[in-house]
Amino acid sequence: MGRKIGKFLFGIVLLLFATAAGYVIYMQTQYYRIEDFTEIETANPKQEQVKKETPYRILTYNIGFGAYSPEYTFFMDTGEMKDGTKTVGEHARALSKEEEIHNTKGSLAILKNAEADFLFVQEVDEKATRSYQVNQRELLENGLSDFASVFVKNFHSAYLFYPFLEPHGSVEAGMMLFSKYQISENVRRQFPVSDAFITKFTDLDRCFLVTRLPVQGGRELVLIQVHLSAYDEGGKIRAKQLALLNEVLQEEREKGNYVIAGGDFNHDIAQSKDSFPSGQKTPAWVYQLTDEDLAEGFRFVKAENADEAPTCRGADIPYEKGVTYTVIVDGFLVSDNVEAKARNREEGFLYSDHNPVEMEFVLLEGK
């Protein structure tokens, strides 16, 4: 009897080992990185060109793949209360398909009501387990049909069987640009990312989208949408990403172009890490960026209400104003030939763990 039990247990162990090995092989064979300098098409193109000395409005919004209602917490987020209590998020998927659709439509309404000329949108799922196969790209394209649109993929993963009770699953997701004006070119640039064995399967295939718009009378407006790494212990990967971004910024400035970069920087870009009331300690992932970290001739556009309105909340606990940690990580930077002023939109984190940021800008003649 003892021998039979031993053989049975050995068989179980062998089966588990074979299953784990097979899964690792599956993940590795499905893994790939998208090539640098990939050209992206513009859907529904426009013909009107941008003009100098004319006011325009741009808005950036990370919609959090439609999952982040105020009570939502994410399994990869951790934190600590000021009394020392450790906190960790719970979910790997939206709470339900109904919640997913509700949040996506809520974010779409914010985008439609912004009265913007350009929109940057991050964390848009095209096909993903975590968002119940709701095609957010299609919903946004249909809802914003007055705009030209560009979709660039920056998260693609095979089926991630973790957490075990609620697997994150497979993901095809990206960022979107919407424009009411003529676009001449879109190029996907690949950010440096971690190639660590586990991290490479769970972090985004980070990129930035370089979009060129001809300016009436000469030169170009270069819009750069970014989504820098968040889960990067020590900040080494983010430093490499910033170095590449600065290289591109400098190249465009030397050409005499107008440059606006924006999106989710996943850094504190407004010296705001201790600005807002909270019952939590400052998380370890909060790194700061200032104008001194940028290429010469560029500056962050600090929102006029930066002291009052955060743009990102921690997702390790449900959102409660004054308790959940908040910070400013979303916004824009501009070249010195662009006049700009920004405002953080106070949407109460109703549909995402981010609030939008809007900026009015003018391309200056003779600079």
Side-chain angles (χ1 to χ4, degrees):
M1 179 65 72
R3 250 183 223 181
K4 287 183 178 179
I5 293 175
K7 286 182 180 180
F8 175 76
L9 292 176
F10 178 75
I12 293 294
V13 171
L14 193 61
L15 178 62
L16 291 174
F17 177 80
T19 301
Y23 180 68
V24 170
I25 292 170
Y26 158 74
M27 291 293 289
Q28 188 63 49
T29 56
Q30 295 294 310
Y31 172 81
Y32 68 96
R33 290 297 190 199
I34 301 170
E35 288 187 15
D36 201 1
F37 294 100
T38 300
E39 293 191 13
I40 309 294
E41 291 186 3
T42 301
N44 193 28
K46 304 301 176 184
Q47 296 305 314
E48 186 178 355
Q49 292 187 346
V50 174
K51 300 176 183 177
K52 301 169 189 175
E53 299 295 341
T54 301
Y56 296 102
R57 178 177 293 179
I58 185 170
L59 179 138
T60 183
Y61 188 19
N62 182 330
I63 66 170
F65 68 89
Y68 291 83
S69 45
E71 66 272 22
Y72 185 82
T73 62
F74 188 58
F75 77 104
M76 291 184 70
D77 276 28
T78 59
E80 186 176 353
M81 306 303 291
K82 286 185 175 176
D83 65 6
T85 303
K86 305 290 184 181
T87 54
V88 61
E90 179 181 358
H91 299 284
R93 305 178 185 181
L95 297 178
S96 67
K97 186 172 184 178
E98 291 71 26
E99 276 286 294
E100 171 70 27
I101 294 171
H102 171 76
N103 291 331
T104 302
K105 287 184 175 180
S107 293
L108 174 59
I110 289 172
L111 293 167
K112 290 177 71 172
N113 294 334
E115 298 183 352
D117 302 288
F118 308 95
L119 300 167
F120 284 176
V121 191
Q122 302 89 50
E123 290 199 36
V124 180
D125 278 5
E126 188 174 31
K127 183 180 181 182
T129 308
R130 65 185 187 178
S131 50
Y132 300 91
Q133 311 301 326
V134 172
N135 191 331
Q136 293 183 300
R137 173 186 179 178
E138 187 176 84
L139 286 172
L140 293 185
E141 285 176 339
N142 291 340
L144 298 165
S145 58
D146 291 342
F147 291 80
S149 66
V150 183
F151 177 84
V152 58
K153 190 180 295 187
N154 74 334
F155 192 10
H156 55 94
S157 75
Y159 196 95
L160 182 64
F161 208 94
Y162 188 82
F164 300 119
L165 297 181
E166 188 182 305
H168 196 58
S170 59
V171 178
E172 297 286 340
M175 304 186 296
M176 296 194 75
L177 165 81
F178 294 90
S179 170
K180 289 185 176 179
Y181 294 87
Q182 185 180 20
I183 293 171
S184 59
E185 182 184 59
N186 306 288
V187 176
R188 182 193 187 280
R189 294 298 314 275
Q190 178 75 7
F191 269 134
V193 291
S194 174
D195 59 359
F197 182 69
I198 297 299
T199 306
K200 72 180 186 180
F201 298 130
T202 58
D203 196 14
L204 283 68
D205 195 3
R206 300 281 178 175
C207 70
F208 57 104
L209 178 66
V210 181
T211 296
R212 298 183 181 278
L213 298 92
V215 178
Q216 199 172 90
R219 294 197 277 181
E220 292 178 312
L221 168 60
V222 180
L223 298 179
I224 302 176
Q225 184 172 180
V226 305
H227 191 181
L228 298 179
S229 288
Y231 304 102
D232 174 27
E233 189 173 350
K236 295 179 181 178
I237 297 297
R238 286 190 280 190
K240 293 179 181 178
Q241 293 176 353
L242 181 62
L244 176 58
L245 178 61
N246 273 330
E247 181 182 315
V248 173
L249 293 176
Q250 191 62 46
E251 288 175 358
E252 296 302 333
R253 182 173 182 266
E254 289 173 357
K255 293 176 186 176
N257 288 328
Y258 302 98
V259 185
I260 296 173
D264 179 358
F265 289 90
N266 267 320
H267 288 71
D268 174 11
I269 61 172
Q271 296 79 58
S272 63
K273 70 187 183 89
D274 300 315
S275 294
F276 306 108
S278 172
Q280 296 187 285
K281 297 180 181 179
T282 302
W285 60 264
V286 178
Y287 292 82
Q288 290 187 307
L289 282 181
T290 68
D291 292 354
E292 295 180 358
D293 297 306
L294 301 178
E296 183 181 353
F298 288 87
R299 70 188 187 281
F300 284 108
V301 182
K302 188 173 180 179
E304 296 173 332
N305 61 339
D307 295 335
E308 306 165 3
T311 71
C312 179
R313 73 165 178 96
D316 53 306
I317 62 173
Y319 176 64
E320 183 180 349
K321 187 173 182 179
V323 177
T324 307
Y325 181 81
T326 55
V327 67
I328 295 173
V329 302
D330 307 87
F332 298 94
L333 62 88
V334 299
S335 53
D336 52 10
N337 52 6
V338 178
E339 183 178 273
K341 60 179 181 179
R343 184 170 184 82
N344 299 337
R345 294 276 298 270
E346 299 182 76
E347 301 293 346
F349 303 106
L350 282 177
Y351 310 112
S352 172
D353 57 331
H354 292 255
N355 281 328
V357 180
E358 60 187 10
M359 184 179 77
E360 294 182 0
F361 67 92
V362 174
L363 309 181
L364 299 175
E365 183 79 69
K367 287 198 72 174

